[in-house]
Amino acid sequence: MHRPVQRVGRVPRLTRILVSAAAVPVMLVAAGCSSDSGSDSGAASSDANNSSGSSPDAQASGSASANAVQVAAYATLPESCSVLSDKTLGALVPKAGKSGKKSSTDEVSERGNCYWTSLDDNGVKGSQYRWLNVALLRFDSDARGTGDEQAHTYFEKQVSAAKTVTGAKNTKSAPVSGTGDEATAVSYDLKKKEGAFKQQTVVARVENVVVTLDYNGAGLAGEKTPSAATLLKAAEKAAKEAVAAVAVANEGDGDGAKSSASPSASASKPASKSASPSASASESATKKS
């Protein structure tokens, strides 16, 4: 129910006149005190400035430093196609080898993206298909907030996007421990004309960097559908490895990598993804908000 706004009634004219009249002596007294002690107060102010040992310019500089945004922890990213070891790639995408496809927009100071496809052909028995994508996005501290804060916001958007993919069935999500500062795994089934796909998305944030790992598999042409639990376990292990690669890429920066002085204008844009020949089954899963 909407309550009417209470309005304060007007002060009677006589009351306002009396209040104004009463205020005049106070102002005069204050003015008198100020004029009587003019030289003394000026000297006291000068002494206070001298005793502090700092000039007005120095004080202003100190105030600006106190209000400066915290420097982002990581200033660079690892090469997107090298965040996973050969052993890990061999387990997740056995037929991909080292043929990771890097995005043409990769820039180690801001973003990276690499994907692998694997098709294990078993002849008349069908084939096992696997698709893996790793995307990295780094945020600088700027007027919008610290790098960590912006990365956290993006992390939440990525998790939400993975949970609301069109056509997804049996969607489940759970936190992933030991992976950066926060991590969530989202799993679901996606039915396509090629077969039944099992999608796993792990989104992790480490300081001011967000890692999004998408991994899906399907049994095609009569092959058995892969186990969702097996795919998820592999995806979580790979995500941990990718997060560790971020820290390694920034080693030797002392107390934290120093990001560039100018804010990264494109840091708020998601890493672009390259499409694989059979990636249509998971395009919606890997779309960045």
Side-chain angles (χ1 to χ4, degrees), residues 122-224:
N122 296 312
V124 295
K125 294 182 179 180
S127 59
Q128 285 289 337
Y129 173 77
R130 299 290 186 273
W131 183 78
L132 172 66
N133 189 96
V134 179
L136 307 100
L137 191 62
R138 189 188 69 85
F139 294 83
D140 266 332
S141 296
D142 55 31
R144 295 169 297 179
T146 66
D148 285 21
E149 291 169 342
Q150 295 183 66
H152 172 71
T153 299
Y154 183 70
F155 164 84
E156 291 186 322
K157 289 181 178 179
Q158 290 292 84
V159 172
S160 178
K163 290 180 179 179
T164 56
V165 171
T166 302
K169 302 293 183 182
N170 304 318
T171 302
K172 299 177 183 178
S173 65
V176 180
S177 61
T179 307
D181 296 300
E182 54 186 336
T184 298
V186 181
S187 304
Y188 56 84
D189 299 336
L190 200 61
K191 185 70 175 180
K192 292 289 183 178
K193 63 180 181 180
E194 297 91 345
F197 286 76
K198 299 289 185 178
Q199 172 72 32
Q200 318 299 322
T201 298
V202 181
V203 185
R205 179 185 69 84
V206 53
E207 300 284 1
N208 59 310
V209 175
V210 176
V211 176
T212 304
L213 185 143
D214 290 297
Y215 183 48
N216 67 45
L220 306 180
E223 252 286 24
K224 184 179 179 181

Side-chain angles (χ1 to χ4, degrees), residues 229-244:
T230 300
L231 295 179
L232 178 59
K233 183 177 180 180
E236 290 179 345
K237 181 180 179 181
K240 286 182 173 67
E241 194 171 312
V243 166

